[in-house]
Amino acid sequence: MAEPDAVQTFEDGLNEIRGAYGDALRGAKDEPELRLINGRYVGPQGELTKLLKLMPKLPADRRRELGQAANALKQEIQATFDAALHAIHRGAREAELTGPALDITLPGRWQMPGRLHPITRIRNEVLEIFLSLGFDIADGPEVELYENCFDKLGFPPDHPATDEHDTFFIQGNRSQDPESVLLRTQTSTIQIREMLKRQPPLAIVSPGAVYRRDDDATHSPMFFQLEGFLVDQDVTFAELKGVLTLFLRRLFDEHISVRFRASYFPFVEPGGEVDMSCVFCRAWEGDRGRTAACRVCKGTGWMEILGCGMIHPVVFENVGYDPEKYTGFAFGMGLDRIAMLKYGIPNIKLLYENDVRFLSQF
Amino acid sequence: MLVSYRWLQELCPVEADVAEVARRISLAGLEVESIEEKGHNLADVVVAEVRAKNPHPKRDNLTLVRVFDGEDELDVVCGASNVPEPGGRVLFARPGAVLPNGMEIAARKVGGVESSGMICSEAELAIGSDAEGIFVMAPDSEPLPGAPVAEALDLHDFILDVGLTPNRPDCLGHVGIAREIGVLFGVAYRPRKAAGPRKAFTAEAVFETSQPTIELAPLWDSVADLDDPPTLPEISVEIENGDRCPRYGAALVSGVRVAPSPFWLRYRLHNLGLRALSNVVDATNLILLEWGHPIHGFDLDHLRGSKVVVRLAKDGERMSTLDGVERTFSTDDLLICDGERPVAVAGVMGGLDSEIREETKDVLIECAYFDPRSIRRTSRRLGLHTDSSHRFERGVDPEAVPQVLASAAGLIAELGGGAVATTAIDRIASPREARTIRLRPSRAAQLLGTPVSAEESLRILKSLGCSIVEQGDAEIIAEPPSWRPDLQREVDLIEEVARVRGYDEIPTAVPRVHPSETGTPGLVKTVDALRDAAVTAGLYEAINYGFVSTEDLRKARVSTDAVRLANPLSEERAVMRTSLLPGLTGAAARAQRHGASAATLFEIARTFEPSGDALPCERTTLAIALAGQRRGWIGGADPFDVYDGKGVLAAILDRVFGRVPEVVPGEVPAFMHPKRSAVVTLESRPVGFVGEIHPDVADDLELIGRVVYAELDVAALYGLAEELGPPQAQGLPKFPAVTRDIAMLVREEYSAGEIAGALATASKGLAESVSLFDLYRGGQIPEGHRSLAFRVTYRDPEATLTDKQVDKVHASLAKVARDRFEATIR
């Protein structure tokens, strides 16, 4: 009868597999090879799988016992496999951790961000300071009426105060007529527009492009200004000084000195200009030799940075505010100039050439 | 304006060095832009006496001069033709001297003769403009040989360049600045004798219209030279337009001899940027620089009809001005005429015919006050900006007319050897209206934010020359001086108080700010967010000029119906841009010319379109240009194409609005590629376009290769943002998703987007997403077809999907693909 043979074959098979499996695995170099070898025993065509297919031929009384033995071998094999796999993983990790390093000098791989234009960058820096002080942003058109750019701001007709505002007029408009259309020469126009639209208290900053007919080494026919103003009851010159001093220290250096000089702009009275310590020779550090040799401040230790003043009562009258009730201050700055100072840009023309080699520096 | 520190000190001496004076006046509003020292750089240049003078042995045009420099006798070769006879004195640069122009003087041979030093001209020493001959000391001057030139000629000075604001015409002369220094240093300014051997006259002024003459009386050390002073001939002054010429004065100096001015005067003018011409002209210039009040000298012989008429020009009237240009006038131009014709453009420039010339004997001096606006209009119309118009258009001191006239007459007489007619004309056609201004010290304190007392206000106003009409603690009524047209209302006086006291004296304070309840306008926020997103997506921000040329617009095939400038700087910048395309692609083209491998640029700016209203329509647009190649990791690089444009827009819009845009076929501008561009929509609303630039346009714009361009309408996006509101959180899925792929062979004309959309619809809401994951052409794929593979993610939000459910839906998707798109499912 075949019965004892079947039992014998089965038992021999189990023993053979038990003996061979561990040795076979030891020859595996890596995980795929390990799995390949493993498959030879427990895969669909594997030795053990084939053996188990003999189960039905085993005598019924031995089947249970032999089945258990086969299961035990299966578990043994699984444990051996797990251990071998673990050893291979461990070995690979050890090899990675102790072996040669990756060439980390190869380039990084990601979409790099672009850059903001330096004027936008400085605009954002400036705005951030004023927003933190409670100012709002306002905007206005670049093509404007003469009256908003000059008349309402208190520029007297036929007055040399307009000399600094060599104006581009739109075709068909070249006079001082209030309805004349021009490119705004200053962002102060927004002062007028906002005051006509709203009632005090107002605290507003307005950056934007302005245009003047100057085009030489130090002037660009389009450039950027930022205008700010505060209107309320009892706004004082002392507060103007406080706000601008704070602003400049935050923007440049907390140690700089700031001084106010009398000056003239038709829409403010008293009017002033603001100087700060030269940021090129770092005048506040008191190195006299360095300051004396500074070509930017010409040895004075000061550089002009802002225009400012108390809003002229005539401006309030022009927008229908009562100048006895309200006072206010206004200031203006050239964002181009501030960007040039802060970022060491040597030539204003660079700002409008949009050379990628330049833009990528900010 | 250039100002001599020395002259200021003569007019108002203060104990402060030049740096301190400059600092103080700068802080008070007269900004000193630079200080230049004079007469300090002429070491080893001395006075020398000519001892002998012989022709050069070999060269005809040279002279061999033996000079005594106070120590030695030296032989010098000189090329000038005006070497004085022995005994005359010259300026001699010893060997070793370095001249202001950098020339080093050394002993050297000239034509075989040893020459030890150099005899100098004014120009070589930078003390004058005369380069014709050497400088010869006046015979009656004192300095002895060996005296350093700076001392011998009294050269030491500092020249300040003061940047004056247009509100301070009073400081357009040394007297005004000296007066200001007096105020700031607390020193009373008194007009006093300034440099030079000056005779001075004062005017017995009579400020009445009925009395058009004044007496000019000698002042200070002046002596009446003549027993019989000349009298003013019968000259009538008629002012036809009193509003344009409120006051006109004239004085006569007779018997002058026109000649070069003495050195002190020439040197002063030279340092202050004016060229010395002749004593009479130089005198008028010196008076201009001293008083800031332009005067004009007429040759009396060339004034016809014994008449001066001040009137408006007739339309088209002509006259040649001093600069030799014939000018045509309008009825808005004020002229000075004699009995027959115009002789000067009032306040701007004299006429050629009546100018002072060498043979002039009798000089009629004009000193007037003209309406500033009138002078400015004429000056602008003629394009003629002169030292005179500069002052008149800002407003000279009308009350200074008699004194300036007297001063000028005295100086001309002194320099030209003439005599002053002691009667002069002072015609007032329209008397100055004195104005009074109220100053409330309490208001000043309120505005400045620091206490201001009545006493201090009073002191400052008086020091400025204000007459006090009333004074009290609560208010002061003051009449500002005639030389301060800028003082018009209370706030002007408050500025004076603050300025004289010094802005530094005002403390700093922190204001109470009322932030608005609305905050930053949404459009501004949207622009900022788009800008940041564009940068994050890898783009570089460009800022272009708002104006371009019509040609730029034409080449770009964008609207040439543009806002045009009346007075552009050039045709290149003559119209306002109607599109950001020319500017941005211009930058891209430049980058390509520089050899950049990629230019990925964006700009957010306004375009301008004519509208029916006074002001054009300003539209804010975001434009993007991608030129060159997208860089792979190492080595790999592909040219940008429309999908890069689509991707960057998706990155930007997703960042700002949390939504990815759709790109759908639709109408795009003419400058875009007809087959490679499309409309961008967000939430089904069109917001812009993206694609490649039309190849013909790209050629015209000098772009290399395919350039991707996109625009988004910022206002439309902002409107959408307002509608969409902030992101709203969704619950996370509770049940697992199942993914299935569907691959198909389909003809090219069916777009992937169309198929994906149809598949999604067919899923009856079970497909969470349908995304293309493979695209293949060629190989086994028949011509005109492509293989597309989509991955469909199914999810039922309410339950776990069973395989059976998914199989069923997935089969329906395949059916749609077959039925609608003639697809072969693979």
Side-chain angles (χ1 to χ4, degrees):
Chain A
M1 298 305 280
E3 265 184 24
D5 285 348
V7 170
Q8 193 61 46
T9 307
F10 196 82
E11 285 183 328
D12 289 353
L14 289 182
N15 287 334
E16 204 172 307
I17 291 169
R18 179 173 287 118
Y21 183 79
D23 289 343
L25 280 193
R26 265 190 288 282
K29 293 192 303 292
D30 54 16
E31 184 175 341
E33 200 175 337
L34 190 74
R35 290 196 185 279
L36 192 72
I37 295 166
N38 184 51
R40 282 186 209 134
Y41 296 92
V42 294
Q45 304 299 322
E47 304 272 338
L48 184 58
T49 316
K50 280 193 264 182
L51 202 59
L52 290 175
K53 287 184 181 148
L54 296 179
M55 284 288 280
K57 295 185 181 161
L58 295 176
D61 58 333
R62 298 294 305 273
R63 217 176 278 165
R64 181 182 166 86
E65 169 210 340
L66 289 170
Q68 279 170 351
N71 267 338
L73 177 60
K74 236 178 162 175
Q75 279 167 17
E76 231 173 275
I77 282 177
Q78 186 62 44
T80 308
F81 176 79
D82 286 349
L85 186 63
H86 180 74
I88 278 178
H89 281 166
R90 201 59 237 173
R93 182 166 296 181
E94 284 300 321
E96 179 186 309
L97 293 174
T98 58
L102 202 66
D103 182 359
I104 44 83
T105 64
L106 295 182
R109 193 194 302 120
W110 199 255
Q111 169 62 55
M112 293 300 285
R115 299 292 171 93
L116 287 176
H117 192 282
I119 288 177
T120 303
R121 185 183 162 121
I122 201 74
R123 163 194 174 274
N124 290 352
E125 282 194 58
V126 170
L127 283 180
E128 197 240 283
I129 297 171
F130 284 108
L131 293 181
S132 78
L133 294 173
F135 283 72
D136 289 336
I137 302 174
D139 211 354
E142 292 174 25
V143 182
E144 258 292 5
L145 296 175
Y146 190 94
E147 73 175 324
N148 288 339
C149 199
F150 295 113
D151 295 338
K152 286 209 159 70
L153 283 163
F155 282 76
D158 296 318
H159 195 270
T162 54
D163 281 355
E164 288 198 3
H165 298 248
D166 198 351
T167 307
F168 287 108
F169 285 93
I170 301 306
Q171 202 168 44
N173 306 267
R174 229 178 146 165
S175 68
Q176 304 181 50
D177 179 347
E179 301 294 313
S180 235
V181 185
L182 43 74
L183 300 186
R184 69 178 174 199
T185 59
Q186 49 189 348
T187 41
S188 311
T189 51
I190 297 164
Q191 227 185 90
I192 296 299
R193 285 180 170 270
E194 289 300 308
M195 286 198 270
L196 285 170
K197 212 155 61 185
R198 297 156 68 173
Q199 285 298 310
L202 288 178
I204 287 171
V205 280
S206 45
V210 298
Y211 300 82
R212 292 188 194 175
R213 296 185 77 252
D214 289 319
D215 193 5
D216 57 35
T218 55
H219 294 91
S220 165
M222 182 185 93
F223 58 103
F224 284 79
Q225 277 190 340
L226 184 136
E227 172 91 4
F229 64 99
L230 176 75
V231 182
D232 202 346
Q233 294 178 19
D234 297 327
V235 176
T236 68
F237 196 95
E239 290 167 346
L240 168 63
K241 286 186 69 176
V243 164
L244 293 183
T245 303
L246 181 71
F247 161 67
L248 289 173
R249 288 188 174 154
R250 277 211 199 164
L251 187 65
F252 286 99
D253 189 297
E254 61 184 301
H255 297 104
I256 60 165
S257 302
V258 177
R259 73 174 187 187
F260 289 72
R261 275 185 290 112
S263 191
Y264 169 74
F265 306 97
F267 41 95
V268 288
E269 190 85 17
E273 275 179 344
V274 185
D275 296 338
M276 63 171 188
S277 311
C278 178
V279 292
F280 281 88
C281 60
R282 300 178 68 83
W284 61 92
E285 287 172 359
D287 183 335
R288 281 165 188 274
R290 193 172 60 204
T291 295
C294 180
R295 286 183 307 147
V296 176
C297 67
K298 296 181 193 138
T300 61
W302 294 103
M303 57 202 329
E304 195 176 313
I305 191 78
L306 290 157
C308 68
M310 301 305 291
I311 297 173
H312 201 292
V314 78
V315 175
F316 286 148
E317 287 160 6
N318 289 341
V319 298
Y321 290 0
D322 177 0
E324 281 292 308
K325 183 172 174 195
Y326 295 111
T327 57
F329 63 68
F331 53 85
M333 64 192 85
L335 289 175
D336 304 57
R337 176 169 159 76
I338 294 181
M340 289 170 76
L341 286 179
K342 187 143 187 187
Y343 308 140
I345 299 168
N347 178 351
I348 191 166
K349 302 286 155 147
L350 284 170
L351 292 172
Y352 300 101
E353 283 169 359
N354 298 310
D355 189 318
V356 178
R357 295 166 299 182
F358 173 76
L359 296 176
S360 60
Q361 296 172 24
F362 299 93
Chain B
M1 188 179 73
L2 299 177
V3 177
S4 156
Y5 171 68
R6 182 82 178 269
W7 197 353
L8 295 175
Q9 283 284 15
E10 290 163 9
L11 292 165
C12 182
V14 289
E15 290 195 6
D17 64 14
V18 65
E20 178 61 8
V21 168
R23 191 184 72 85
R24 294 278 282 276
I25 64 175
S26 289
L27 289 175
L30 313 181
E31 188 184 1
V32 177
E33 286 161 1
S34 67
I35 302 173
E36 192 186 345
E37 189 170 3
K38 294 287 181 182
H40 65 299
N41 55 353
L42 293 168
D44 289 321
V45 181
V46 296
V47 174
E49 188 182 301
V50 175
R51 289 282 163 93
K53 161 183 175 187
N54 292 299
H56 189 282
K58 290 185 189 152
R59 304 273 174 84
D60 286 348
N61 54 347
L62 298 179
T63 310
L64 188 57
V65 188
R66 166 151 291 209
V67 295
F68 173 62
D69 73 352
E71 291 169 12
D72 300 304
E73 284 199 6
L74 298 148
D75 287 322
V76 198
V77 175
C78 181
S81 57
N82 65 331
V83 177
E85 293 305 314
R89 281 161 300 155
V90 294
L91 302 180
F92 175 66
R94 288 172 170 151
V98 179
L99 300 188
N101 63 7
M103 183 199 268
E104 286 180 43
I105 305 300
R108 62 190 182 104
K109 285 206 154 115
V110 180
V113 178
E114 182 79 10
S115 178
S116 308
M118 182 166 124
I119 303 176
C120 304
S121 69
E122 280 182 3
E124 281 157 345
L125 298 178
I127 57 173
S129 52
D130 186 359
E132 287 293 300
I134 56 169
F135 184 93
V136 180
M137 299 284 289
D140 56 351
S141 62
E142 288 170 6
L144 298 173
V149 62
E151 285 166 30
L153 294 178
D154 201 10
L155 298 179
H156 201 256
D157 199 354
F158 293 94
I159 302 301
L160 284 61
D161 191 352
V162 184
L164 286 171
T165 51
N167 60 326
R168 292 301 301 273
D170 62 305
C171 288
L172 285 164
H174 283 70
V175 163
I177 295 182
R179 195 159 47 206
E180 185 80 1
I181 290 172
V183 171
L184 297 173
F185 284 81
V187 179
Y189 161 77
R190 285 190 315 279
R192 66 185 71 217
K193 186 177 176 313
R198 307 274 296 271
K199 276 180 186 172
F201 278 76
T202 188
E204 302 289 320
V206 181
F207 301 140
E208 285 170 29
T209 40
S210 58
Q211 179 51 272
T213 58
I214 49 171
E215 299 299 318
L216 300 184
L219 179 73
W220 289 309
D221 57 351
S222 169
V223 286
D225 294 302
L226 301 175
D227 298 334
D228 189 15
T231 51
L232 190 69
E234 285 294 316
I235 294 177
S236 70
V237 171
E238 290 169 23
I239 303 174
E240 287 187 10
N241 305 86
D243 53 335
R244 300 297 191 100
C245 175
R247 188 165 191 168
Y248 193 96
L252 178 72
V253 184
S254 202
V256 299
R257 203 168 53 81
V258 174
S261 297
F263 177 73
W264 70 265
L265 175 51
R266 283 185 285 127
Y267 181 62
R268 188 152 277 182
L269 292 178
H270 173 74
N271 278 345
L272 297 175
L274 291 181
R275 200 180 161 85
L277 295 167
S278 71
N279 49 8
V280 174
V281 176
D282 294 350
T284 61
N285 280 331
L286 193 81
I287 293 292
L288 170 96
L289 295 177
E290 183 169 63
W291 293 88
H293 201 132
I295 56 171
H296 186 68
F298 294 102
D299 183 335
L300 189 64
D301 286 349
H302 289 85
L303 282 187
R304 302 177 191 165
S306 301
K307 230 178 172 182
V308 171
V309 182
V310 186
R311 62 164 171 84
L312 289 172
K314 299 180 188 89
D315 195 26
E317 199 168 359
R318 290 158 180 261
M319 184 195 74
S320 292
T321 42
L322 274 176
D323 53 6
V325 178
E326 183 174 57
R327 300 186 184 268
T328 310
F329 305 105
S330 79
T331 54
D332 191 40
D333 296 321
L334 192 67
L335 299 178
I336 310 298
C337 307
D338 63 11
E340 298 173 11
R341 63 203 170 132
V343 292
V345 189
V348 180
M349 191 177 266
L352 196 57
D353 286 350
S354 57
E355 72 170 329
I356 304 294
R357 46 198 99 191
E358 230 171 289
E359 61 275 18
T360 299
K361 297 269 177 305
D362 301 327
V363 180
L364 188 75
I365 308 161
E366 166 200 288
C367 177
Y369 174 76
F370 298 113
D371 171 48
R373 293 181 59 182
S374 170
I375 300 301
R376 180 171 169 84
R377 286 201 300 274
T378 295
S379 156
R380 304 272 287 187
R381 193 155 38 234
L382 298 178
L384 202 54
H385 182 256
T386 61
D387 284 335
S388 172
S389 69
H390 187 80
R391 287 165 174 81
F392 280 121
E393 70 179 22
R394 282 162 175 73
V396 300
D397 179 4
E399 306 292 300
V401 166
Q403 187 49 53
V404 173
L405 210 46
S407 198
L411 183 62
I412 290 172
E414 177 67 31
L415 296 170
V420 177
T422 53
T423 307
I425 293 166
D426 180 17
R427 182 107 213 181
I428 298 175
S430 159
R432 187 176 78 92
E433 281 171 30
R435 59 185 180 276
T436 57
I437 307 171
R438 173 182 72 155
L439 171 68
R440 293 161 295 170
S442 61
R443 176 72 179 169
Q446 186 198 19
L447 192 67
L448 299 178
T450 188
V452 176
S453 71
E455 291 79 12
E456 190 186 22
S457 308
L458 208 54
R459 182 180 57 72
I460 289 171
L461 294 183
K462 281 182 181 164
S463 77
L464 289 166
C466 292
S467 316
I468 305 303
V469 180
E470 267 180 60
Q471 63 183 80
D473 283 344
E475 60 180 48
I476 297 164
I477 309 284
E479 185 191 324
S482 56
W483 57 84
R484 292 296 302 271
D486 58 316
L487 303 183
Q488 294 284 346
R489 51 195 292 174
E490 183 177 34
V491 70
D492 298 322
L493 298 186
I494 294 175
E495 177 179 81
E496 291 304 301
V497 170
R499 191 176 70 81
V500 171
R501 190 199 246 208
Y503 284 0
D504 283 352
E505 299 295 312
I506 298 171
T508 58
V510 179
R512 168 193 58 163
V513 177
H514 295 277
S516 76
E517 280 160 14
T518 47
T520 304
L523 188 59
V524 175
K525 278 200 270 196
T526 304
V527 167
D528 279 343
L530 286 169
R531 216 184 246 129
D532 282 338
V535 166
T536 306
L539 305 180
Y540 291 82
E541 188 186 15
I543 295 183
N544 282 291
Y545 287 149
F547 24 53
V548 294
S549 71
T550 312
E551 181 63 9
D552 290 334
L553 299 179
R554 205 188 52 71
K555 275 188 189 167
R557 316 278 210 278
V558 296
S559 169
T560 49
D561 177 19
V563 176
R564 192 165 294 278
L565 300 184
N567 54 342
L569 282 171
S570 69
E571 265 312 302
E572 293 303 297
R573 296 172 191 155
V575 297
M576 299 308 287
R577 61 185 166 205
T578 55
S579 162
L580 300 184
L581 179 74
L584 205 56
T585 52
R590 273 196 299 283
Q592 289 184 328
R593 282 200 293 278
H594 288 146
S597 63
T600 55
L601 297 164
F602 80 101
E603 179 168 16
I604 301 187
R606 300 182 192 184
T607 57
F608 304 83
E609 283 165 35
S611 70
D613 301 328
L615 298 183
C617 172
E618 296 186 16
R619 196 188 302 277
T620 303
T621 302
L622 164 63
I624 291 167
L626 309 175
Q629 296 180 318
R630 170 184 0 99
R631 242 192 25 205
W633 185 37
I634 297 167
D638 296 310
F640 287 120
D641 61 24
V642 63
Y643 304 109
D644 294 287
K646 200 174 156 180
V648 79
L649 288 182
I652 292 169
L653 293 175
D654 188 38
R655 170 90 176 79
V656 178
F657 302 101
R659 282 165 175 80
V660 175
E662 301 275 311
V663 173
V664 298
E667 198 182 332
V668 294
F671 55 79
M672 296 301 285
H673 193 299
K675 301 296 175 193
R676 290 169 177 252
S677 29
V679 170
V680 179
T681 66
L682 197 64
E683 298 292 305
S684 310
R685 233 78 54 86
V687 293
F689 58 86
V690 61
E692 289 172 15
I693 292 177
H694 193 296
D696 292 346
V697 178
D699 285 348
D700 285 350
L701 296 174
E702 292 170 39
L703 293 164
I704 303 166
R706 300 183 186 278
V707 172
V708 175
Y709 184 78
E711 277 186 16
L712 294 175
D713 179 342
V714 175
L717 287 173
Y718 162 60
L720 198 55
E722 290 284 277
E723 265 176 56
L724 296 176
Q728 300 297 313
Q730 308 291 324
L732 298 178
K734 292 191 186 71
F735 300 96
V738 177
T739 60
R740 291 286 168 87
D741 295 345
I742 176 167
M744 63 189 80
L745 193 65
V746 67
R747 288 222 311 275
E748 291 271 7
E749 60 255 38
Y750 294 115
S751 74
E754 211 179 343
I755 298 170
L759 297 182
T761 308
S763 80
K764 306 236 164 29
L766 279 186
E768 193 175 67
S769 72
V770 178
S771 61
L772 184 71
F773 74 92
D774 189 51
L775 183 154
Y776 184 68
R777 285 192 187 90
Q780 314 285 309
I781 312 296
E783 183 75 19
H785 287 68
R786 55 184 177 170
S787 157
L788 300 175
F790 297 91
R791 175 154 299 159
V792 187
T793 303
Y794 294 99
R795 195 197 302 271
D796 181 343
E798 305 299 336
T800 300
L801 286 169
T802 63
D803 279 353
K804 211 172 143 193
Q805 278 176 293
V806 175
D807 288 345
K808 198 175 156 204
V809 179
H810 202 63
S812 72
L813 263 53
K815 182 169 161 41
V816 165
R818 276 192 303 270
D819 295 353
R820 274 188 57 193
F821 303 106
E822 305 163 72
T824 310
I825 305 300
R826 309 177 81 204

